[in-house]
Amino acid sequence: MSSVESHQEQLSQSDPSPSPNSCSSFELIDMDAGSLYDPVSPHWFYCKIIDSKETWIPFNSEDSQQLEEAYDSGKNCNGRVVPTDGGRYDVHLGERMRYAVYWDEQASEVRRCTWFYKGDKDNKYVPYSESFSEVLEETYMLAVTLDEWKKKLESPNREIIILHNPKLMVHYQPIAGSDEWGSVPTEQGRPRTVKRGVENISVDIHCGEPLQIDHLVFVVHGIGPACDLRFRSIVQCVNDFRSVSLNLLQTHFKKAQENQQIGRVEFLPVNWHSPLHSTGVDVDLQRITLPSINRLRHFTNDTILDVFFYNSPTYCQTIVDTVASEMNRLYTLFLKRNPNFKGGVSIAGHSLGSLILFDILTNQKDSLGDIDSEKDSLNIVMGHGDTATLEEDLKKLQLSEFFNIFEKEKVDKEALALCTDKDLQEMGIPLGPRKKIMNYFKSRRDSQGITQAVIQSAPGVNFPRESEACSSTDDTRKDEYLDVSIGQVSVKYPRLIYKPEIFFAFGSPIGMFLTVRGLKRIDPNYKFPTCKGFFNIYHPFDPVAYRIEPMVVPGVEFEPMLIPHHKGRKRMHLELREGLTRMSMDLKNNLLGSLRMAWKSFTRAPYPALQTAETTEEAEVEAESGSEKASDGHPEASAAGDTAPMSISVGLLNGGRRIDHVLQEKPIESFNEYLFALQSHLCYWESEDTVLLVLKEIYQTQGVFLDQPLQ
């Protein structure tokens, strides 16, 4: 206390009163402060680097209270860890550092804040250090108690703070060179506003997240390190997705929250881009990359080439291993930190991430019994109508000289059908004979109907068929793969340690990739071995998105399910467009009918019997044409509340429910769909309609529904 008083006496000589002009920028408020001193209420902040600038962000009120209680507990803060942000971050109280739990992120500084000053370039307030805030608070307490103001303090970096009164406190920056002769800095320059307590600054402080977690969702990103037009990472985009979900829970599940039926849904990001590009492939690419248009080539290497990496056997294995192992690691860590969690798990993928998840789900095993069933089904396939021996088959292919090699390796006809090209190469079979053998057994599988007659005749077998899935692995063999010959890269797919309830695909190219791999149709009876639900969600202008349902029901044309607006009904411009289309069709039909009647009145036949027959025939033709035009005149997607599309059978991939769901474009997007094409592919992270559909489907599995069904 004495050091503060002596410091004030030292600076008392240079204490000019502020001019009226300068006071106008100090946010003067009527002086109504009482003489009683009230201790300041601290609030905890953390520092984050945003656009290369330090930004101090407040913890939510619940986390700040927990940190303050831990600080006031009287125990040694060293080694004290407080979970914050719903358990996604840990604050090491002694270090004053904040660490991410589930993903890699630079640690951020944490500060117990009581005093703030306004920054130079923006209106955001910056907290003083904890030690200097204590000095400011002591000075403020002394001024209030003794009613002696115009106190002057010098900060550690030689900046001047003057406490004129409880409502007017300013901060002066030193001018360069003013103290080179040891003189005391003066309060020249533009002053900054100083505020005491977080309640006196403009900052948004959220209430916090519900403690109860009802469901866990893993989110896998697409190509490249950036996930939206602001070049943000998957962690930042999932943070937005989670924030939107918390807001929608308060507005659309209010009754369930009031009755404490639900808590919240946790979304965790899964990053595979960084591990892929840390394998050294970037160095190899850099050596062969041309020096021209450097930025465009770097973008291509870092983003677009991820699609080609996934079609490479080497890097595809790295990607699927990374995604599966990361989801398993996150699931294990989540259960460790939330031992009372009883909810389910779902997965979501954006763009290429959805294809990765689709391939992983296709190659899962429901249980150990399914592996035996698949082995039995393979025996049935190879024994169905097949009486020729391996030696006879090799003789037909003019490859009899290799029979001794197969006999030495104890490879019979059934085992040879399971061999991949790599297996044959390791046995010393040249390239030409390998291709003959692989093509021969592929033709036999096609002719014997492995995907229809054989597999469907075996009840209870849940085997990914050639017309349904990309590939399947046999877990009974190590490092050997079953190639079902539809163009997918032959890799070993790891198993997930949980069974996902629902798979959400955002802006997904799954349909395109399956078609390019040679698939023409997905068997309606096929379903994922371990996942019951599948929703393909896309924006109508998304250039990367493709439909799935036409591959299940190729002979029927029908529109996707229209996702309702989160505020209900269709968007106004869509209803207006639909009404105008219907009106124009009615007007056109009425006009054509009037013209026909006028033409018939001029060309009326002389025989009444012939006229009646002709009129009846034309009326039938007109009715048929009118019905056809009416059916073709409404191109819009079917709303979620319509009953007609629900009667369409789209297979078991989503438990018999519709798979394709399309968002409603915004009014401004309808003016030029090409202009908003790229934005449409990256719009899902902040789309309330997308998030609400995800929440609705998740909570329906728990028997919890929206307060008011959307129409």
Side-chain angles (χ1 to χ4, degrees):
M1 191 76 69
S2 59
S3 61
V4 175
E5 295 176 353
S6 61
H7 190 66
Q8 293 169 353
E9 292 176 359
Q10 178 182 354
L11 299 176
S12 61
Q13 301 298 328
S14 57
D15 186 17
S17 59
S19 64
N21 294 333
S22 63
C23 289
S24 61
S25 63
F26 296 161
E27 301 181 1
L28 282 173
I29 304 177
D30 294 337
M31 297 177 58
D32 55 356
S35 58
L36 296 179
Y37 167 75
D38 292 327
V40 65
S41 299
H43 195 93
W44 292 75
F45 283 65
Y46 63 92
C47 182
K48 201 167 187 179
I49 306 298
I50 301 178
D51 297 332
S52 302
K53 295 187 300 182
E54 288 188 354
T55 303
W56 286 90
I57 303 174
F59 286 96
N60 63 61
S61 55
E62 293 182 2
D63 290 343
S64 180
Q65 183 178 355
Q66 288 185 355
L67 290 169
E68 185 65 20
E69 289 175 356
Y71 176 82
D72 292 336
S73 62
K75 299 179 181 179
N76 188 6
C77 290
N78 294 329
R80 189 74 180 269
V81 178
V82 179
T84 61
D85 300 274
R88 295 180 297 275
Y89 289 88
D90 281 342
V91 172
H92 293 236
L93 210 56
E95 303 175 16
R96 292 292 198 274
M97 298 298 289
R98 173 177 176 263
Y99 297 93
V101 174
Y102 296 104
W103 54 82
D104 293 332
E105 184 179 308
Q106 183 178 0
S108 53
E109 181 185 353
V110 173
R111 188 174 293 178
R112 182 176 181 265
C113 306
T114 53
W115 285 77
F116 307 85
Y117 65 91
K118 187 176 289 188
D120 291 330
K121 298 181 180 179
D122 50 27
N123 292 325
K124 295 182 179 180
Y125 282 87
V126 180
Y128 288 103
S129 65
E130 293 187 33
S131 58
F132 188 66
S133 293
E134 292 179 359
V135 175
L136 283 171
E137 184 64 19
E138 290 179 0
T139 306
Y140 178 85
M141 179 184 65
L142 195 63
V144 171
T145 304
L146 301 178
D147 196 19
E148 296 178 359
W149 293 97
K150 295 185 180 181
K151 301 288 185 179
K152 181 178 292 188
L153 291 175
E154 182 179 342
S155 68
N157 52 355
R158 306 300 303 276
E159 296 179 351
I160 301 299
I161 295 91
I162 301 177
L163 308 183
H164 292 284
N165 56 62
K167 301 296 182 181
L168 178 58
M169 295 171 282
V170 292
H171 176 140
Y172 292 97
Q173 289 181 290
I175 297 179
S178 62
D179 59 344
E180 58 184 7
W181 297 102
S183 61
V184 177
T186 61
E187 59 276 13
Q188 299 179 12
R190 185 176 181 180
R192 298 173 174 176
T193 303
V194 177
K195 294 292 183 181
R196 173 180 179 266
V198 70
E199 63 275 4
N200 293 319
I201 66 175
S202 56
V203 62
D204 294 330
I205 300 178
H206 301 286
C207 296
E209 304 176 8
L211 298 178
Q212 176 185 339
I213 300 177
D214 305 317
H215 203 87
L216 176 63
V217 180
F218 297 120
V219 184
V220 181
H221 65 86
I223 61 174
C227 296
D228 65 357
L229 291 177
R230 287 177 281 177
F231 297 98
R232 297 185 303 167
S233 66
I234 179 64
V235 173
Q236 295 170 303
C237 290
V238 172
N239 287 343
D240 274 354
F241 201 88
R242 187 188 305 108
S243 298
V244 173
S245 72
L246 292 174
N247 294 332
L248 290 175
L249 286 175
Q250 296 177 357
T251 56
H252 291 72
F253 293 87
K254 189 174 182 179
K255 294 180 181 178
Q257 280 196 335
E258 291 176 352
N259 297 332
Q260 297 183 349
Q261 289 180 277
I262 63 173
R264 64 182 176 91
V265 177
E266 180 61 278
F267 297 89
L268 295 181
V270 178
N271 182 13
W272 55 266
H273 181 270
S274 299
L276 171 66
H277 287 263
S278 63
T279 58
V281 65
D282 288 349
V283 178
D284 298 335
L285 285 173
Q286 189 62 35
R287 287 199 298 263
I288 60 176
T289 301
L290 301 182
S292 59
I293 52 174
N294 183 50
R295 292 185 178 180
L296 180 58
R297 296 187 190 277
H298 175 73
F299 173 78
T300 302
N301 292 346
D302 201 35
T303 303
I304 300 179
L305 286 189
D306 286 349
V307 179
F308 298 96
F309 285 139
Y310 190 66
N311 288 297
S312 163
T314 301
Y315 296 108
C316 179
Q317 186 69 66
T318 301
I319 292 174
V320 296
D321 286 345
T322 301
V323 172
S325 62
E326 182 68 4
M327 289 195 297
N328 288 339
R329 182 189 71 84
L330 291 174
Y331 181 68
T332 304
L333 181 58
F334 179 82
L335 291 183
K336 182 179 179 181
R337 294 177 63 89
N338 301 272
N340 297 324
F341 176 72
K342 304 297 182 182
V345 182
S346 294
I347 56 178
H350 176 245
S351 190
L352 183 63
S354 64
L355 177 66
I356 299 171
L357 292 176
F358 183 88
D359 290 341
I360 291 177
L361 288 179
T362 302
N363 292 277
Q364 294 300 297
K365 302 295 183 295
D366 191 9
S367 63
L368 295 178
D370 290 335
I371 300 176
D372 298 332
S373 299
E374 292 177 10
K375 290 170 62 179
D376 295 339
S377 66
L378 289 175
N379 294 334
I380 296 173
V381 170
M382 297 315 303
H384 180 75
D386 190 8
T387 58
T389 63
L390 176 60
E391 187 174 5
E392 292 173 351
D393 287 339
L394 292 176
K395 189 174 182 180
K396 291 179 184 179
L397 298 174
Q398 298 179 351
L399 301 175
S400 300
E401 63 271 22
F402 299 106
F403 177 73
N404 293 332
I405 297 178
F406 295 132
E407 190 176 24
K408 180 181 179 182
E409 297 289 339
K410 296 183 179 181
V411 175
D412 56 8
K413 188 173 181 178
E414 180 180 331
L416 184 58
L418 299 175
C419 290
T420 63
D421 185 79
K422 183 179 180 182
D423 297 331
L424 297 177
Q425 184 178 2
E426 291 177 351
M427 285 188 283
I429 308 299
L431 177 61
R434 293 203 308 270
K435 294 298 182 183
K436 284 185 178 182
I437 294 173
M438 298 296 293
N439 184 65
Y440 173 73
F441 282 101
K442 176 183 179 300
S443 301
R444 291 189 66 85
R445 282 194 294 266
D446 293 341
S447 63
Q448 292 173 359
I450 184 174
T451 63
Q452 297 179 2
V454 179
I455 301 268
Q456 291 178 0
S457 64
V461 176
N462 196 5
F463 181 69
R465 292 154 229 181
E466 181 177 351
S467 63
E468 301 167 349
C470 301
S471 69
S472 179
T473 59
D474 188 355
D475 287 350
T476 59
R477 300 182 298 146
K478 292 184 178 180
D479 302 326
E480 297 183 3
Y481 319 113
L482 176 63
D483 182 11
V484 295
S485 305
I486 57 171
Q488 188 189 15
V489 178
S490 179
V491 297
K492 183 177 178 61
Y493 288 92
R495 294 187 63 177
L496 301 177
I497 59 178
Y498 56 88
K499 293 183 180 181
E501 293 188 2
I502 307 176
F503 168 35
F504 299 98
F506 306 140
S508 173
I510 292 175
M512 180 270 292
F513 270 86
L514 295 182
T515 302
V516 170
R517 290 171 179 175
L519 281 140
K520 296 184 178 179
R521 182 170 180 266
I522 299 177
D523 194 303
N525 295 322
Y526 176 72
K527 57 184 178 181
F528 293 124
T530 59
C531 186
K532 299 178 181 179
F534 175 36
F535 290 87
N536 182 35
I537 304 170
Y538 60 92
H539 191 283
F541 302 155
D542 191 338
V544 181
Y546 289 82
R547 293 192 62 184
I548 297 294
E549 291 174 341
M551 299 188 69
V552 182
V553 192
V556 182
E557 292 187 5
F558 54 94
E559 298 295 331
M561 293 292 290
L562 186 68
I563 300 176
H565 191 263
H566 65 282
K567 294 183 179 180
R569 299 185 61 83
K570 292 183 180 179
R571 292 182 184 268
M572 184 177 297
H573 72 286
L574 295 180
E575 290 189 350
L576 181 61
R577 181 195 304 170
E578 182 180 343
L580 292 175
T581 303
R582 187 183 300 111
M583 186 186 303
S584 64
M585 291 302 302
D586 294 342
L587 183 62
K588 180 180 178 182
N589 292 336
N590 293 335
L591 180 60
L592 290 177
S594 300
L595 291 176
R596 286 195 188 97
M597 294 299 295
W599 177 255
K600 284 186 292 183
S601 65
F602 287 110
T603 60
R604 181 171 300 169
Y607 302 103
L610 179 60
Q611 176 184 356
T612 304
E614 189 180 69
T615 304
T616 304
E617 183 179 353
E618 289 182 358
E620 292 177 355
V621 173
E622 182 178 348
E624 292 178 0
S625 63
S627 62
E628 291 177 359
K629 291 176 181 178
S631 62
D632 296 338
H634 184 59
E636 296 297 330
S638 305
D642 295 344
T643 57
M646 296 302 292
S647 61
I648 300 174
S649 176
V650 291
L652 301 178
L653 200 54
N654 191 23
R657 302 176 61 194
R658 295 292 300 273
I659 300 173
D660 293 335
H661 291 71
V662 60
L663 293 167
Q664 302 180 40
E665 73 271 16
K666 298 178 181 178
I668 191 174
E669 295 173 343
S670 61
F671 287 107
N672 191 325
E673 57 190 43
Y674 292 96
L675 185 63
F676 294 94
L678 180 58
Q679 177 180 336
S680 299
H681 183 60
L682 306 172
C683 72
Y684 305 99
W685 307 116
E686 299 177 354
S687 169
E688 292 94 342
D689 300 347
T690 302
V691 179
L692 185 58
L693 177 62
V694 171
L695 294 176
K696 180 173 73 74
E697 295 300 331
I698 286 176
Y699 278 112
Q700 276 186 1
T701 62
Q702 303 178 14
V704 179
F705 302 93
L706 294 170
D707 293 340
Q708 294 181 352
L710 299 178
Q711 298 179 354

